[in-house]
Amino acid sequence: MTRNIRRRLEAVRPARLDPDTHDHEGGIRAIIDNTDPLPTDAAPRDRAHRGWLLSTGLAVTAAAAAVTVFVATSTSTPTPAPAGPRPGSQASPPSGPATSAKDVLLAAARTTLRDGKPPTAGTWWASKREGAHVEEALMDGQKFTVLVRFREEAWHSQRAGTPDYYVYQELGAAPLTAADAEIVERLGSPSEYRTGKKGWAAGKDGKPEQVEVTYSTKPGDAKISEQPYSPYLLPEQKLRWSDLATLPADPVRLKKLVGADAVHDDPTTVFVLAFFLYSSPVSKEVRAALYTILSELPGAGSVGRVRDAKGRLADTITFDGGQMWYLIDAKTGAPIGSEVHPKRDPQLSVYDLRISDGFEDSPPAR
Amino acid sequence: MPVGDAERLERFTDLYRGQYARVYAYAVARGGRRLAEEVTAETFLVAWRRFDVVPVARPVPWLLATARNVLRERYREEVRQHSIAEELQAWVSPAAPDDLSSDVVERAGLLDALGRLSDDDRELLTLAAWHGLSAAEAARVVGCSTATYFVRLHRARRRLEQVADHAGTTPYRAEAHR
């Protein structure tokens, strides 16, 4: 079987997705005759749609993560959040001198140029990250919220014929807030949180079956799966791993590449791709150029210096009123990842954080 | 009608004519045919009311994100689940039940496997394949970063592979991720 999954899916697209017939003029007339001026909540609430991202938890359930943070307004030095039952709650209030996003990014570019080292080589480029996701539990008729932490590693082979690896491990669930912890205590501190929801899992005979979704409070086994080698870092843009050594360090030329897959008029997508590329084996000059590109994007702000969910000191870049924080390591100038701090619930933050990136010559330990 | 309103209507008409089928297709895939027409109409109503914020150059991610919200906010979950279950059943019902050619069997097997995935996995897999979105656009529809989208897409592909393999359909390998 040589065709990839996308091509196979394209080939089986159901004809039912297409409308039989449609009276366009009638449809338009019905809409413009409906002159109700009331605003609707169905439109995306901000340019990156993160408001409903959080309200639905859809992105949270896969690869993004959540952690409890405390946002305050004025402290002179970054301080860890108060201790609580939340295993990931290390983020701090914003603090430090007010700095513009441009200043933060250009300072990070200078740090990168000063301290960056040329990329080495190896069999796999291993990108290791940590996160968590917030889930709703239901036990004995009591609803509560838990934080499910996980780690994941993507091992990208640099040689055709050598497989990629993907490592995933649950790190254990815990009540999200003090109120949730009280409920859990009343329930007798179970070692597993039930949800009452059904999900697919491999049964005893290996076949998928529907079972209740549960979350253990203890770390699970690391699952290592072998994946086919791919020459592409960004398949949609045809950017190969082998292209990274010759990426231009000229911001104008580099921007054409970084911006190619960005959403029109949405600087956050450029940010995501730039962070992604920075965390790949590229030269320090390319990394600095990526920051230069980002420094010229419109609409960026900063809420100052914070500690991320892992307790690292980080500078922030924000868009659209400050819900999304792009974090840059204050010490190394490297991108850390992102956290979401919804205004309606400052205790909840979605994050996706880098632990390390680097070459490896031995496959992940089993 | 003032000139500004006339121009707005003309632009909206172009948007509606140009993108109706794409929004409808997404609504079918996400909520089933039973709801699709209503969801699509509601989506364009939102677009009309908030036309000033619809991205001019690439409106599709905005429209699909809005359709997604409409489905979530206007319908009870069980209504949507019932409609999509009906839809998924229709995908695997052969037009000619006696046709056992390999293409037909493979098609039914892949759609059956797709139907066994979660709604979110199915959406990730089809945003590019059926709705023609780039990675960044698809990420925008589902509300995550492009990098996160790649990771989630990779996982969805793995799950599709596992389900298809266990369901006894034609085996195939997960394509490389990211």
Side-chain angles (χ1 to χ4, degrees):
Chain A
M1 189 59 56
T2 55
R3 287 182 298 163
N4 66 30
I5 285 180
R6 177 172 172 169
R7 296 287 174 265
R8 291 168 55 87
L9 286 171
E10 284 173 354
V12 301
R13 182 184 183 278
R16 288 174 58 87
L17 299 188
D18 301 321
D20 296 328
T21 56
H22 180 67
D23 173 11
H24 286 83
E25 303 313 317
I28 293 166
R29 179 54 53 196
I31 286 171
I32 62 175
D33 284 349
N34 185 336
T35 53
D36 180 2
L38 292 175
T40 174
D41 285 340
R45 290 186 185 118
D46 65 31
R47 295 168 79 177
H49 314 324
R50 288 173 188 107
W52 46 266
L53 153 68
L54 290 161
S55 65
T56 62
L58 285 166
V60 180
T61 56
V67 68
T68 302
V69 296
F70 295 82
V71 177
T73 51
S74 59
T75 53
S76 57
T77 55
T79 51
R86 300 162 294 279
S89 58
Q90 299 297 315
S92 75
S95 66
T99 311
S100 74
K102 193 178 188 75
D103 289 346
V104 168
L105 290 160
L106 293 180
R110 287 192 295 273
T111 305
T112 297
L113 278 176
R114 187 190 66 211
D115 300 339
K117 295 185 173 48
T120 54
T123 308
W124 290 274
W125 179 258
S127 177
K128 303 177 183 180
R129 310 187 75 82
E130 267 192 34
H133 47 98
V134 172
E135 299 291 346
E136 200 166 75
L138 176 64
M139 296 178 73
D140 294 344
Q142 303 238 47
K143 277 187 183 175
F144 56 99
T145 311
V146 296
L147 187 74
V148 183
R149 294 175 301 146
F150 66 89
R151 71 178 181 94
E152 61 182 3
E153 301 174 5
W155 291 55
H156 303 284
S157 168
Q158 305 295 300
R159 297 176 191 162
T162 301
D164 288 2
Y165 291 99
Y166 177 73
V167 181
Y168 180 82
Q169 182 181 22
E170 297 282 354
L171 297 177
L176 181 64
T177 67
D180 295 317
E182 283 177 19
I183 295 173
V184 167
E185 196 172 336
R186 285 202 299 275
L187 290 167
S189 300
S191 60
E192 186 177 75
Y193 302 132
R194 300 177 60 184
T195 65
K197 296 175 184 169
K198 296 285 185 185
W200 289 96
K204 287 176 183 171
D205 57 359
K207 291 183 178 177
E209 61 182 25
Q210 278 207 302
V211 296
E212 182 178 4
V213 176
T214 59
Y215 299 103
S216 172
T217 58
K218 298 180 177 60
D221 295 332
K223 294 171 184 168
I224 303 173
S225 58
E226 192 175 301
Q227 303 292 331
Y229 162 80
S230 168
Y232 294 106
L233 173 72
L234 293 174
E236 304 289 335
Q237 294 161 275
K238 307 294 182 201
L239 180 68
R240 294 168 180 265
W241 289 93
S242 55
D243 296 332
L244 295 182
T246 55
L247 278 183
D250 169 24
V252 175
R253 291 175 60 203
L254 192 59
K255 190 176 181 180
K256 287 181 183 171
L257 173 71
V258 176
D261 200 35
V263 173
H264 179 72
D265 275 351
D266 187 348
T268 65
T269 56
V270 183
F271 236 87
V272 167
L273 286 169
F275 269 32
F276 188 51
L277 267 184
Y278 187 114
S279 301
S280 307
V282 296
S283 70
K284 63 181 182 181
E285 289 80 11
V286 167
R287 288 174 172 165
L290 288 166
Y291 277 144
T292 302
I293 292 167
L294 296 180
S295 74
E296 292 163 356
L297 293 175
S302 175
V303 295
R305 188 161 281 188
V306 299
R307 285 195 187 278
D308 76 350
K310 300 293 292 178
R312 294 171 291 192
L313 203 57
D315 290 313
T316 52
I317 304 293
T318 61
F319 286 95
D320 294 329
Q323 290 198 124
M324 173 67 106
W325 297 359
Y326 293 93
L327 300 172
I328 295 172
D329 192 308
K331 186 177 172 187
T332 67
I336 289 176
S338 57
E339 295 181 353
V340 179
H341 297 252
K343 289 173 182 170
R344 64 177 172 80
D345 182 4
Q347 286 199 332
L348 180 67
S349 167
V350 173
Y351 77 76
D352 173 20
L353 298 176
R354 166 186 178 269
I355 301 302
S356 68
D357 297 294
F359 281 111
E360 302 273 0
D361 283 320
S362 300
R366 291 180 185 270
Chain B
M1 181 180 287
V3 174
D5 288 352
E7 184 195 332
R8 185 171 186 259
L9 177 57
E10 187 179 339
R11 286 173 49 215
F12 177 75
T13 302
D14 287 345
L15 177 77
Y16 188 97
R17 285 182 176 146
Q19 306 303 342
Y20 181 90
R22 294 185 78 176
V23 176
Y24 180 87
Y26 175 81
V28 174
R30 184 81 180 160
R33 263 202 163 205
R34 182 183 288 267
L35 306 179
E37 200 163 327
E38 203 171 286
V39 169
T40 307
E42 187 80 7
T43 299
F44 278 102
L45 178 62
V46 174
W48 171 247
R49 286 174 177 162
R50 304 204 56 198
F51 198 54
D52 55 327
V53 301
V54 179
V56 176
R58 298 174 77 179
V60 174
W62 190 96
L63 288 168
L64 299 197
T66 300
R68 196 175 201 266
N69 289 353
V70 166
L71 261 168
R72 195 189 71 240
E73 294 175 2
R74 302 285 194 276
Y75 300 93
R76 294 200 319 275
E77 181 59 14
E78 59 265 37
V79 172
R80 191 184 70 81
Q81 286 293 344
H82 179 73
S83 178
I84 192 64
E86 196 176 67
E87 184 63 33
L88 295 173
Q89 185 61 41
W91 290 358
V92 296
S93 300
D98 295 334
D99 187 351
L100 296 178
S101 63
S102 60
D103 279 357
V104 171
V105 172
E106 184 181 330
R107 173 188 177 82
L110 187 56
L111 287 172
D112 178 59
L114 197 62
R116 290 169 186 262
L117 298 182
S118 69
D119 290 349
D120 293 346
D121 276 355
R122 195 164 52 249
E123 181 181 41
L124 288 165
L125 288 162
T126 56
L127 277 172
W130 290 357
H131 306 299
L133 268 56
S134 72
E137 289 174 329
R140 184 167 181 150
V141 172
V142 300
C144 68
S145 72
T146 306
T148 299
Y149 164 78
F150 282 129
V151 174
R152 294 176 61 190
L153 179 64
H154 163 59
R155 289 180 185 160
R157 285 170 172 162
R158 279 198 305 134
R159 285 191 278 265
L160 179 65
E161 177 191 32
Q162 287 165 358
V163 171
D165 281 351
H166 287 307
T169 58
T170 308
Y172 50 86
R173 303 174 68 206
E175 81 176 46
H177 53 284
R178 302 204 81 148

